[in-house]
Amino acid sequence: MESSSLPDASLVPRWRVAEWVTALLLTGSIVAQMVYRTLIVGPLWRDECGALQLARLPEIRDVWQNFPHEAFPFAFPMVLRAYTGLFGDGDASLRLFGLGVGLLIVAALWLNGWMVHRGPPLLALVLTGMNTHLLTYGMAVRGYGLGVAGIVLALTWLDRTRRFPTRSNTLLATVACVLAVQFLLFNSFLLLAVGSAAIFTAALRREWSTAARLTAICAAAAISLVPYVPGYLGARQWNSLCQSETSLGEIWGALCVTLRAPQWHLAWLWHLLVIGTLGASLLKLVLIRKRNLSGLQDSLRFVFQSIAYSIAVYFVFLLFLRYDTGPWHYLALLAVLACLLDMAFPLLCSWSSWHWLRVVCVLLLGVILSWQNLPGLRIRYSNIDAVAAVLKQQCQPGDLVIVEPWFQGISYKRYQPGICEWMIVPPIGPLEHHRYDLMKQAMQSAAPLAPVLSKIETTLRSGNRVWHLSALHFREEPEPVPLLPACGPVASHVEHGDYIINWHRHLVRFLQEHAISIVDVPVLSPQPIDAREEWRGTRIEGWKGAEPEAGR
């Protein structure tokens, strides 16, 4: 009779103990960095404010009607609505929400490591958990962090169902896949890639029942997105403002920017690991093709196909999406690839020397990244809180606040002191969240700035002041700046930017022509500010008495 006692601890390889100790140290460092980021990140920036204010609309039907204007399916604003209903919508509460999401990502990585290869997720922790962009954008009040956790869990349970096609695994995989696509729409394409790899692997073994289970799981996730189709089809009327001509080279460049955070050498390490894993997996499949190692062959096929399909499908998706992508668009892809690299290592490397080499390299890299991440973690999303504090001290009733570009008004609405009237350029607000449809209407208008310029003149003539707030530089315009003509029915992201700059320059020229005093207002911050929302203030006083130009 076989003994049921636990194995002697002395039989556990030393490298296995070293792996667990290293992974625990990495986890401690990641959690410490997440806590540090939470404590100093500062106020919400405009994308976070847009997500929050969408979630806090008076009625749920309002959220349903407007969710296509933000980047995430309906489920994410509903989660945010539930959270803020329980814990409030203050900055501190929302930063704790972000910290909770970050810890959920770490837990998902650990679960993946244990459920897939009964080991710690060394590569996933150091390559994903210590990526500067994951520690910033993954913990923002946006759906990217929940999307990363969701796709890692989906990958975990799809592989689990592929190997052990039980009812419980099938149910858990279905829930994970549905949640993954509900929190981040981009995950549907990663799920297509990983799901296809799992289905093909089962089909090659003629395990038709398993292939059918996996197909049903992926189909359930796809069906869960069907209710969103009308909303996203309606967004085509204005979505061109978010799109521009892009190329594979530009997408690759944006991906490399994400990979190399916080240092450029990480991009080369990623390239080496991904290409090396693909090559080694293919070579080992060839070497063992005639041996009775079906479990190993299936796992290698799954890893190889998942890596290849994920990269190919995601790149094709981004190419057709035509967005000017940022690091946050690639976080889910990075998490999937890192988990697959962890999955591949014990399949390819059985010698203890390889395990020791991985432990040493990961530990050294973790120490280096923990130090190099600090400057990036200190960058605040915004200084809108400092701007609001200045206005609260200096602004008076009767003054006018001008905010540009238009999307900055989303942040200002949350933090504005409420002392005086304010307008955005063009005057399409106040806005709760992004409204590219209203921006497009303004671009098609013959005189989009007329209400703003008229209000500025009235305010200055009455002896009150105008406060100009913008992330754009207030530079002198030596020559008149004519307004761009109304745009056509189709406008791109590039044209959207052209109109913003043109209107800003036109406004600056108008103020230079008619205002008596234009003075910069210092906005101090103890930390560096993200350039996308580093607000600058200008105080404008007095009216020279000239009549406003015709057509304004």
Side-chain angles (χ1 to χ4, degrees), residues 471-528:
L472 304 172
H473 289 282
F474 197 106
R475 294 188 177 93
E476 183 177 349
E477 294 292 342
E479 301 292 336
V481 181
L483 287 173
L484 290 174
C487 74
V490 179
S492 69
H493 182 67
V494 174
E495 291 175 286
H496 170 252
D498 291 341
Y499 276 83
I500 287 176
I501 298 299
N502 176 258
W503 292 342
H504 170 72
R505 295 181 59 205
H506 187 83
L507 176 62
V508 169
R509 179 64 182 179
F510 175 84
L511 294 172
Q512 289 174 349
E513 288 179 350
H514 298 293
I516 294 175
S517 171
I518 301 177
V519 180
D520 290 336
V521 178
V523 180
L524 303 178
S525 174
Q527 299 162 225

